[in-house]
C-alpha cells in the first residue's frame, strides 16, 4: 500500500520532511506546516502495511519512531490531520555488519549557484548519511535564512538520508545559535545535556561532533566529554568533526593553533583515525600526523579540511604536512568496509580530485570494477557510484552512452548538445537534428537591477549593464513567451559578462512579472524620479536584505533555486539551463539573479550591443501548452450523441467562440439551457500557426435522440477587436416544441495579430444544413476572418422528421471581456461617452483617444511617438511573424533600433533627440541590410520578410519626417517610457 499526498487538508508542507537521530532501531522525522494540524507519521517496511505514529498538534512536527529492524528499508509519509502531505520517502536503518558510506560537506549555506552545483553531484552519489562541518546558513544563521540556504537546496537529500549537523562560526551569530538548535535534533549525549556537541555510531565507526566556537581547553566541558567518549568507544574507526580547521595552508583563516594545541594530544592518545573540518573554503588533506609530525601510514591521524560546499572559494597553498590541496567546490565521500576506509574528494563535475585509503589490520580486497566504488584508475563509475555520468554506469565501469552526455553516439544520436557538427545550433534535447522552426531566440522584454544603500530608491532600467553582488544588488529579467506556439522543452539563458566574479549568480523565478523596467540609467540622483523597479520596492521591511521576510510581489522564489552561473570572467558569454522556470504555458516570465560573492558580477543589459538572450526549444508541432476540455452529456438514446470542438486559433485582440448543441425527439417536450464559462488565451500568434497556444472549451450537451448528432466548430481566425461566433444546432420533430436558452460569458483571446491576414470590414456567417431524420446532423462553423469591432455569426440547423417540423434559431452577441495572464495589466476599452480626454484613455500610448464632442475618438500620433510606435508595435508583430525563424542578429538589430528611438523620445533636449534618432536611422539601415541577407539565405520566409521590410520602411519615413520638421522648441521635458505620451507637436 503506497500513500499519496492529498490536498484535502488545510495544512500545507513548508519544510521537510527530514531525517534526524537515525540509529539501528529508531529515527526521528521532522517537518513544518503552514497551519497548525494534528501531526502523525505513516511508516511501513517496504513490503509491509503502514502503521501510524501520532504526535502533537502544531506547525512543527517531530515524531520519533523506535522498534525498527537494523539494516531494513522503510517508507514513510508525514500526515496532517490524517492526510498525507508528501509522497512516500524511503530510508534505511543503520546496520553494524554492512559496509556504508557518507558524504561530508562544509561552508555550504550560501544560497548560491555553486552550492546547487555541489548538491546536484551529491544527489548522484550513493550514501547512507550526511555529515556537515558547519557554516550551514550564511550569513548569520538567522531563522529566515534556513529555508533558502539549507532546507530548500537539500530537500531531496535529507528526506532519505539522515543529517548530522555541526555549528560553524556563522551559525552562532544569531542568538548564539538558537535558530540552529530549533531546527536540528542532536543526541545531546554529554553530561551538560548540550545540543551543540555529541557523538553517534554508524556501522563500525564512532563519530564525535564538537562545537569549535566554544572552549576546547583542557578541563572544559567539551574537552572532558571528548576524552571520556573516545576512551569508551570500541568502534573500529574513530572520527571527529568540527568547524575550525587546525591544519590548513589556506590564505584566509589558516590553522587554528589554539584548538590544535588543545585537542591533538587527545586525538593521539585515543587513536583517532580521521578529523573532518571546514572554515577554509577549499580542500586540503594532510599526511598522517602524530604529535604534529608526519608519520607512516596507519601510525597517525589524517586531517581533512572540506570547506568547498558552495561559498566563495579561498586560495590554498601547501605545507610540510600537506598531501593534497585544491581550491575547488566539492564534497568528501567516505566509504567504510570493515577494516578499510576510502576518503575521496569529489568535484562538482563528478571527477575525483583526491583520494586516500586508510587500513586497519589484515589485507584489504583489491579494488575492482563491480565493488560499487570508483576507486581505481580508468573507472568513470561503478554501479550506483556514477557522479561523473549523465546516465547509467556500464558493466565495464565506464559511463554508458546516453543522450545528454555531450557526445554523439551513433547511430541512435545525430547530435548531442554542443557536439552538433551534423546540424550546428539545431540539436534538439532528444539528440536529433531539428529545424530552425523548433527554436525561438528571445531578447528580454525588460531588464533592470536594484541596488541597496544610497541607490535604494533609484531606477536603473535604462542602464547598459546589470549588476549583482552579495546583499546589495539583484538582477531582474523579463521574457515574453506569449507568442510561443508549443510547450517549452528546454530554455537556456545566455548572458554576456562585463565584469567577472567567483560567483556568477544563482537564478530564481519571480512569480509576479508586472514590475516596470524604468527609464533611468542610475548615474545620478535624478534616477530616483524614474518609474522603474527599485530596491525599496522589494526590501519591504527596510532591513537592507532581500529575503523571505519581505512581502514584495517581486521577491525571488528562493525555494525554487535553479543552478546558476559559477565562476565567470569578463568578455565571455555564459549559459545556464532555466527550463524549470518556463513551464506554465504562454505568458510573461520573470527571473532574478543573486550572488553570494562580495565581488560584484556585471552582465550586459538589453540596452547594450550584447543583450541577454533566451534560447527556447519548442515541443513538436501540434502540442498545446494547456488544453482543458470539460464535457457533460446526458442521453436517453441508443445511439451516441457527440459534441466536438476543434481547437480555435485566434489572432485577434478579443475573440469568442461558443458551440451549443440541442437535440430533442419527436415525442418529447424539452428545454435545454447551456452556459459556457469564460476562457482566456493571451498570445502573440506566430504566422501560419494553426493550433492555439491555449485552448479551453466547455461543452454541455443534453439529448434524447435516436439519431447521432454532431456539432463541430473548426478553426476560426480573426484579427478583430471583438469577434463572437455562436453556433447553435437544434433538431426537433413535428410534435416537439424546443426552447434553447444560451448564456455565454466571454471567452477572450488577447494577442498581437498575425501579419498578412486577409480582412473584411464586417463578416456574418450563417450555415444551415437540412437532412432527413435517419442521417446524422452536422453543424459546422467554417473559418471566419474579420477586422470589425463586433462580429456576430449565427449557425442554425434544422432536421425535420415531418413537414410541420419547428425550426429553432439561437443568436447571441457576447460582450467583450479581456482576461490577461499573470504578470500583465488588464486593458479594457473605455466607454464612448466622455467628459475629458482621461475618460478615453485605454492605457495604450500607441492608440491614443481624445474626447471630442463628448465622444471618444481616435487621435493621431505625433512626432517621435509615432516613430516609436511604428517600430515598437509593428516591430513586435513582425517578430511574431518571424516567430521561431527570426535570426538572432536581425532580432538584435531591431531591438537596438527600438532602444535608440526610445532614447530619442525620452531625451531632455531637441539636439539629443535628433542625434539619437539619426543613430536609430543608421540602425534601421543596418537592420534592412541584415534582412536582405537573411532573406537571401532563406533564414526567414517570404511573407515574414515582406512584413519586416514594411515595418522598417514605415519607421524610416516617420523618423525622417520628424528630422525634417525641425521643431522650434529649444528643449523638451524628459518623458519616461511607458503609457505617457509626448505632449509637444513636433
Amino acid at each position: 500500500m503506497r500513500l499519496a499526498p492529498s490536498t484535502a487538508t488545510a495544512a500545507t508542507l513548508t519544510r521537510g520532511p527530514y531525517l534526524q537521530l537515525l540509529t539501528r532501531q529508531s529515527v526521528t522525522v521532522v517537518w513544518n506546516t503552514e497551519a497548525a494540524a494534528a501531526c502523525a507519521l505513516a511508516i511501513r517496511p517496504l513490503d509491509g502495511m503502514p502503521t501510524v505514529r501520532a504526535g502533537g498538534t502544531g506547525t512543527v512536527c517531530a515524531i520519533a519512531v523506535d522498534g525498527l529492524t537494523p539494516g531494513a528499508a522503510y517508507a514513510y509519509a508525514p500526515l496532517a490531520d490524517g492526510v498525507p502531505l508528501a509522497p512516500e520517502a524511503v530510508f534505511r536503518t543503520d546496520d553494524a555488519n554492512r559496509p556504508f558510506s557518507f558524504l561530508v560537506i562544509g561552508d555550504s549555506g550560501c544560497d548560491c549557484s555553486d552550492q546547487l552545483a555541489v548538491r546536484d553531484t551529491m544527489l548522484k552519489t550513493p550514501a547512507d548519511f550526511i555529515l556537515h562541518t558547519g557554516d550551514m546558513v550564511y550569513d548569520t544563521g538567522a531563522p529566515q535564512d534556513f529555508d533558502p540556504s539549507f532546507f530548500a537546496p537539500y530537500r531531496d537529500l535529507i528526506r532519505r538520508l539522515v543529517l548530522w549537523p555541526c555549528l560553524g562560526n556563522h551559525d552562532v551569530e544569531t542568538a548564539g545559535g538558537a535558530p540552529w538548535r530549533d531546527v536540528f535534533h542532536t543526541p545531546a549525549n554529554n553530561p551538560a545535556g548540550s545540543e551543540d556537541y555529541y557523538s553517534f555510531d554508524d556501522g563500525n565507526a564512532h563519530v564525535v561532533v564538537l562545537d569549535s566556537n566554544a572552549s576546547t581547553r583542557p578541563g572544559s566541558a567539551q574537552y572532558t566529554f571528548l576524552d571520556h567518549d573516545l576512551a569508551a568507544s570500541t568502534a573500529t574507526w574513530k572520527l571527529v568533526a568540527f568547524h575550525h580547521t587546525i591544519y590548513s595552508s589556506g590564505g584566509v583563516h589558516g590553522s587554528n593553533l589554539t584548538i590544535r594545541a588543545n585537542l591533538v594530544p587527545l586525538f593521539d592518545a585515543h587513536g583517532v583515525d580521521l578529523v573532518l573540518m571546514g572554515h577554509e573554503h577549499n580542500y586540503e588533506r594532510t599526511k598522517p600526523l602524530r604529535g604534529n609530525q608526519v608519520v607512516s601510514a596507519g601510525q597517525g591521524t589524517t586531517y581533512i579540511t572540506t570547506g568547498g560546499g558552495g561559498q566563495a572559494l579561498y586560495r590554498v597553498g601547501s605545507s610540510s604536512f600537506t598531501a593534497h590541496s585544491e581550491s575547488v567546490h566539492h564534497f568528501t565521500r567516505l566509504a567504510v568496509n570493515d577494516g578499510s576506509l576510502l576518503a575521496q574528494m569529489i568535484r562538482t563535475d563528478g571527477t575525483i580530485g583526491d583520494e586516500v585509503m586508510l587500513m586497519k589490520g589484515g589485507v584489504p580486497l583489491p579494488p575492482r570494477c563491480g565493488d560499487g566504488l570508483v576507486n581505481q584508475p580508468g573507472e568513470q563509475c561503478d554501479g550506483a557510484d556514477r557522479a561523473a555520468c549523465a546516465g547509467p554506469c556500464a558493466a565495464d565501469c565506464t559511463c554508458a552512452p546516453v543522450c545528454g552526455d555531450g557526445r554523439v553516439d551513433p547511430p541512435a544520436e545525430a547530435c548531442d548538445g554542443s557536439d552538433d557538427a551534423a546540424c550546428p545550433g539545431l540539436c534538439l534535447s532528444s539528440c536529433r537534428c531539428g529545424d530552425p522552426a523548433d527554436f525561438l531566440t528571445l531578447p528580454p522584454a525588460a531588464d533592470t537591477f536594484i541596488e541597496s544603500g544610497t541607490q535604494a530608491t533609484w531606477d536603473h532600467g535604462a542602464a547598459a549593464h546589470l549588476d549583482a553582488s552579495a546583499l546589495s544588488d539583484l538582477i531582474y529579467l523579463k521574457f515574453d513567451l506569449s507568442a510561443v506556439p508549443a510547450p517549452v522543452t528546454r530554455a537556456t539563458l545566455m548572458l554576456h559578462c562585463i565584469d567577472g566574479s567567483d560567483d556568477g549568480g544563482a537564478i530564481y523565478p519571480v512569480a509576479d512579472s508586472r514590475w516596470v523596467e524604468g527609464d533611468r540609467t542610475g548615474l545620478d540622483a535624478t534616477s530616483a524620479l524614474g518609474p522603474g523597479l527599485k530596491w525599496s520596492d522589494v526590501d519591504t521591511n527596510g532591513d537592507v536584505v532581500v529575503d523571505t521576510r519581505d512581502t514584495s510581489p517581486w521577491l525571488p522564489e528562493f525555494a525554487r533555486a535553479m543552478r546558476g552561473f559559477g565562476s565567470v570572467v569578463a568578455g565571455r558569454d555564459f549559459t545556464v539551463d532555466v527550463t524549470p522556470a518556463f513551464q506554465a504555458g504562454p505568458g510573461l516570465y520573470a527571473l532574478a539573479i543573486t550572488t553570494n560573492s562580495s565581488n560584484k558580477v556585471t552582465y550586459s543589459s538589453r540596452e547594450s550591443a550584447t543583450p541577454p538572450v533566451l534560447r527556447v526549444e519548442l515541443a513538436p508541432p501540434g502540442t498545446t501548452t494547456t488544453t482543458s476540455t470539460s464535457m457533460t452529456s446526458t442521453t436517453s438514446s441508443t445511439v451516441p450523441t457527440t459534441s466536438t470542438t476543434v481547437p480555435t486559433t485566434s489572432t485577434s485582440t478579443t475573440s469568442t467562440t461558443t458551440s451549443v448543441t440541442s437535440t430533442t425527439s419527436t415525442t418529447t417536450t424539452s428545454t435545454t439551457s447551456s452556459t459556457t464559462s469564460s476562457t482566456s488565451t493571451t498570445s502573440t500568434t506566430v504566422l501560419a500557426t494553426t493550433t492555439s497556444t491555449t485552448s479551453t472549451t466547455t461543452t454541455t450537451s443534453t439529448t434524447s435522440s435516436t439519431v447521432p448528432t454532431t456539432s463541430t466548430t473548426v478553426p476560426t481566425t480573426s484579427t478583430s477587436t471583438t469577434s463572437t461566433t455562436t453556433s447553435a444546432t437544434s433538431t426537433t420533430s413535428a410534435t416537439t416544441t424546443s426552447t434553447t436558452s444560451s448564456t455565454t460569458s466571454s471567452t477572450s483571446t488577447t494577442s498581437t495579430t498575425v501579419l498578412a491576414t486577409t480582412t473584411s470590414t464586417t463578416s456574418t456567417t450563417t450555415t444551415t444544413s437540412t437532412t432527413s431524420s435517419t442521417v446524422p446532423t452536422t453543424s459546422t462553423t467554417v473559418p471566419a476572418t474579420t477586422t470589425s469591432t463586433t462580429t456576430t455569426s449565427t449557425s442554425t440547423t434544422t432536421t425535420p422528421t415531418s413537414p410541420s417540423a419547428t425550426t429553432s434559431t439561437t443568436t447571441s452577441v457576447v460582450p467583450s471581456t479581456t482576461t490577461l495572464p499573470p504578470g500583465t495589466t488588464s486593458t479594457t476599452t473605455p466607454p464612448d461617452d466622455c467628459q475629458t480626454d482621461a475618460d478615453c484613455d485605454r492605457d495604450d500610448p500607441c492608440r491614443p483617444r481624445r474626447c471630442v464632442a463628448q465622444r471618444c475618438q481616435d487621435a493621431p500620433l505625433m512626432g517621435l511617438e509615432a516613430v516609436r510606435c511604428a517600430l515598437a508595435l509593428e516591430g513586435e508583430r513582425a517578430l511574431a511573424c518571424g516567430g521561431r525563424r527570426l535570426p538572432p542578429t536581425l532580432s538584435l538589430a531591431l531591438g537596438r533600433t527600438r532602444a535608440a528611438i526610445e532614447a530619442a523620445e525620452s531625451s531632455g533636449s531637441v539636439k539629443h533627440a535628433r542625434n539619437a534618432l539619426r543613430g536609430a536611422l543608421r540602425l534601421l539601415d543596418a537592420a534592412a541590410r541584415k534582412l536582405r541577407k537573411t532573406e537571401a539565405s532563406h533564414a526567414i520566409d517570404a511573407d515574414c520578410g515582406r512584413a519586416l521590410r514594411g515595418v522598417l520602411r514605415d519607421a524610416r519615413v516617420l523618423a525622417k519626417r520628424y528630422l525634417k520638421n525641425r521643431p522650434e522648441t529649444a528643449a523638451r521635458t524628459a518623458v519616461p517610457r511607458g503609457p505617457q505620451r509626448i505632449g509637444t507637436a513636433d
Side-chain angles (χ1 to χ4, degrees), residues 103-110 112-125 130-132 153-154 157 160 306-313 327-333 345-351 387 562-566:
L103 311 180
V104 186
I105 187 172
D107 301 85
S108 67
C110 55
C112 58
S113 58
D114 290 316
Q115 177 187 17
L116 303 179
V118 175
R119 183 274 318 271
D120 289 347
T121 310
M122 292 172 67
L123 283 167
K124 298 163 62 176
T125 305
I130 301 171
L131 174 65
H132 205 292
Y154 301 122
L157 281 166
R160 60 183 178 85
T306 178
Q311 183 60 287
L313 295 172
S327 180
V328 64
H329 286 109
H330 70 281
F331 61 92
T332 298
R333 191 258 301 274
M345 182 268 280
I346 302 178
R347 305 184 185 101
T348 55
D349 62 359
T351 59
M562 289 175 288
R563 183 170 175 176
F565 303 98

Side-chain angles (χ1 to χ4, degrees), residues 100-104 125-129 131 207 239 274-276 283 304 331-337 340-346 356 358 373:
F100 67 96
S101 63
F102 61 100
L103 311 180
V104 186
T125 305
D128 294 281
F129 66 88
L131 174 65
V207 183
L239 289 71
L274 184 64
V275 175
L276 300 161
Y283 173 85
I304 293 180
F331 61 92
T332 298
R333 191 258 301 274
L334 301 178
V336 180
N337 186 356
S340 66
L341 185 155
L342 175 67
Q344 297 175 312
M345 182 268 280
I346 302 178
V356 63
L358 306 181
L373 289 173

Side-chain angles (χ1 to χ4, degrees), residues 395-421:
D396 61 354
C397 290
T398 61
C399 295
V402 64
C403 179
D405 60 12
R407 299 182 300 275
V408 176
D409 303 304
E413 298 175 0
C415 59
D416 196 326
S418 59
D419 191 356
D420 59 355

Side-chain angles (χ1 to χ4, degrees), residues 564-587:
F565 303 98
S567 178
V568 294
V569 295
R572 290 179 52 191
D573 294 331
F574 293 88
T575 60
V576 66
D577 190 323
V578 291
T579 306
F582 294 89
Q583 297 300 305

Side-chain angles (χ1 to χ4, degrees), residues 500-554:
S501 173
D502 51 2
D503 180 13
I507 303 174
Y508 304 88
V510 179
D512 194 328
S513 59
R514 290 176 297 178
W515 52 269
V516 177
E517 178 182 38
D519 59 3
R520 304 304 170 99
T521 59
L523 296 178
D524 54 48
T526 61
S527 295
L529 303 176
L533 183 68
K534 305 174 179 70
W535 178 277
S536 56
D537 296 327
V538 184
D539 181 19
T540 55
N541 63 1
D543 64 353
V544 200
V545 177
V546 171
D547 55 30
T548 53
R549 290 174 294 184
D550 295 305
T551 58
S552 170
W554 304 297

Side-chain angles (χ1 to χ4, degrees), residues 483 648-657 681-693 715-723 748-759 784-787 877 880-881:
T648 300
T649 299
S650 174
T651 60
S652 65
T653 303
T654 305
S655 174
T656 304
T657 302
T681 302
T682 300
S683 68
T684 304
T685 306
V686 178
L687 182 68
T689 299
T690 58
T691 304
S692 65
T693 306
T716 300
T717 302
S718 171
T719 61
S720 66
T721 302
T722 305
S723 174
S748 67
T749 303
T750 302
S751 71
T752 303
T753 58
V754 170
L755 299 182
T757 303
T758 305
T759 61
T785 302
T786 164
T787 60
R877 293 173 184 171
C881 154

Side-chain angles (χ1 to χ4, degrees), residues 884-947:
R884 296 177 290 175
R885 293 178 290 279
L886 197 64
T889 53
L890 183 54
S891 174
L892 176 60
L894 290 171
R896 293 178 64 187
T897 308
R898 285 200 301 274
I901 288 178
E902 289 171 351
E905 185 184 14
S906 60
S907 174
S909 71
V910 172
K911 179 180 178 181
H912 292 160
R914 293 167 66 82
N915 288 338
L917 198 56
R918 289 190 182 97
L921 280 170
R922 290 193 293 272
L923 290 168
L924 280 169
D925 293 339
R929 290 193 297 272
K930 290 183 183 295
L931 176 61
R932 286 192 291 271
K933 291 181 180 180
T934 53
E935 283 188 287
S937 62
H938 304 289
I940 57 175
D941 57 46
D943 289 338
C944 183
R946 283 192 295 271

